[in-house]
Structures are given as structure tokens and as C-alpha cells.
């Protein structure tokens, strides 16, 4: 019975990994092609709860030649420290994990976190278009149906190039 449980657990983990496999490839390719001078990204999330997404992020960043720094945010009380880390680190952009329990799409502090990063000129990107509603600059991936979405106002104010055919919101 123990070996059956172990096998089922292994299959569940493999299945969970495949949910994220490749989700961030198109995002990093788009960033690399349009913002070639932006070579350092940060991911800010609960690293344990978002471990599969972070593993895929790391692989996609490496493939695109972009370094990735991680900031661990386990609870709302950690967000101010994360803002300070981003301020000190000054990444070229931040990748938001849409399913993250603290700073994901439904995080109550997501908008203020993204806003504080924008105040120092650091744009946030994601694979989910809903991040544009809370201050994200660019979204592309499976949850945008392969379309590149961008905030017209923010890309203009930050002087960021977007690919032709981008849907501006």
C-alpha cells in the first residue's frame, strides 16, 4: 500500500509540474526581444507555495539569458520587506505569479506592491492579463491565449517598446 501511495504522490507532483511547464517561455522571449537591456528579473512570491511556477520561471529565464532573483513573501506582513528588497535590488522587471496566495491576482496587497515598484521604474509582467488591472505592464502566456497584452499608459510613461500587434489596454 505504501508503494501505491508513493507512486500516486509522484504522479501528482509530475502532473503539477506539467501545469507550469513552458508557461513563462513566451513571456521571457517577449521581454528579451523588446527590452534587450533588461537582463535581471525578480520573482516575488511565496517560494514554497509557488515552487512549481518558480522552477518554470527559472528555466525560462535561464533559456532567455536573463538572471532571476527571488524574494520570498509568505504572508501579508512580509510585503513591506519585499518592497525594500526590490528597492535595494533594482531588478529590470518583476515577474508576478498569478496563483501566488499573497501577491497573486487576488492578493489584497498586489496593487500597492506593483505600484511601489513602478514608482522606482520597475515594471511588473505576468502570464495573466488581469495583472494589467492592478498596474502590471505586460502580460503574455497561456492565460492571454498567446496574445501580448500591455498597458498603453504605462508602456508609454516607462518608454517601453511592445511588439507589433500588442493589444493595448
Amino acid at each position: 500500500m505504501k508503494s501505491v501511495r508513493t507512486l500516486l504522490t509522484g504522479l501528482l507532483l509530475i502532473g503539477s509540474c506539467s501545469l507550469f511547464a513552458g508557461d513563462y517561455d513566451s513571456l521571457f522571449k517577449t521581454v528579451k526581444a523588446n527590452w534587450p537591456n533588461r537582463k535581471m528579473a525578480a520573482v516575488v512570491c511565496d517560494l514554497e507555495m509557488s515552487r512549481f511556477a518558480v522552477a518554470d520561471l527559472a528555466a525560462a529565464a535561464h533559456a532567455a539569458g536573463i538572471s532571476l532573483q527571488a524574494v520570498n513573501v509568505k504572508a501579508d506582513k512580509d510585503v513591506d520587506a519585499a518592497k525594500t528588497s526590490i528597492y535595494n535590488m533594482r531588478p529590470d522587471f518583476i515577474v508576478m505569479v498569478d496563483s501566488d496566495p499573497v501577491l497573486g491576482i487576488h492578493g489584497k496587497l498586489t496593487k500597492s506592491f506593483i505600484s511601489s515598484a513602478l514608482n522606482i521604474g520597475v515594471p511588473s509582467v505576468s502570464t495573466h492579463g488581469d495583472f494589467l488591472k492592478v498596474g502590471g505592464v505586460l502580460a503574455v502566456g497561456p492565460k492571454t491565449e498567446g496574445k501580448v497584452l500591455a498597458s498603453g499608459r504605462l508602456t508609454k510613461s516607462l518608454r517601453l517598446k511592445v511588439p507589433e500587434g500588442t493589444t493595448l489596454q
Side-chain angles (χ1 to χ4, degrees):
M1 188 66 174
K2 184 177 179 184
S3 63
V4 171
R5 250 185 277 141
T6 303
L7 176 63
L8 288 174
T9 302
L11 289 174
L12 285 172
L13 286 174
I14 291 169
S16 297
C17 288
S18 66
L19 289 174
F20 293 102
D23 281 6
Y24 294 94
D25 292 338
S26 58
L27 179 64
F28 277 100
K29 286 177 186 172
T30 301
V31 168
K32 181 76 170 181
N34 293 282
W35 307 341
N37 295 331
R38 294 187 180 251
K39 299 177 190 283
M40 185 175 87
V43 58
V44 182
C45 63
D46 182 329
L47 296 175
E48 178 62 27
M49 296 297 290
S50 301
R51 67 185 168 278
F52 297 120
V54 172
D56 189 41
L57 264 163
H62 179 74
I66 295 172
S67 67
L68 182 67
Q69 301 292 319
V71 178
N72 196 15
V73 177
K74 291 187 165 290
D76 290 350
K77 66 179 178 58
D78 301 328
V79 173
D80 284 338
K83 288 178 183 179
T84 301
S85 293
I86 292 300
Y87 181 82
N88 292 330
M89 186 187 308
R90 297 290 172 132
D92 295 317
F93 61 100
I94 299 170
V95 182
M96 304 300 293
V97 177
D98 64 310
S99 61
D100 186 71
V102 180
L103 289 174
I105 291 172
H106 303 292
K108 63 183 176 186
L109 298 175
T110 302
K111 187 173 186 170
S112 72
F113 177 81
I114 290 173
S115 177
S116 70
L118 281 171
N119 286 339
I120 60 168
V122 179
S124 295
V125 301
S126 179
T127 60
H128 202 297
D130 284 352
F131 271 103
L132 299 181
K133 296 175 185 172
V134 293
V137 173
L138 183 81
V140 62
K143 294 178 185 107
T144 66
E145 299 173 359
K147 296 176 188 168
V148 178
L149 308 175
S151 165
R153 180 182 61 81
L154 293 174
T155 54
K156 186 176 182 178
S157 70
L158 293 169
R159 298 180 182 172
L160 297 171
K161 179 183 166 197
V162 294
E164 195 168 312
T166 296
T167 302
L168 296 176
Q169 298 183 351

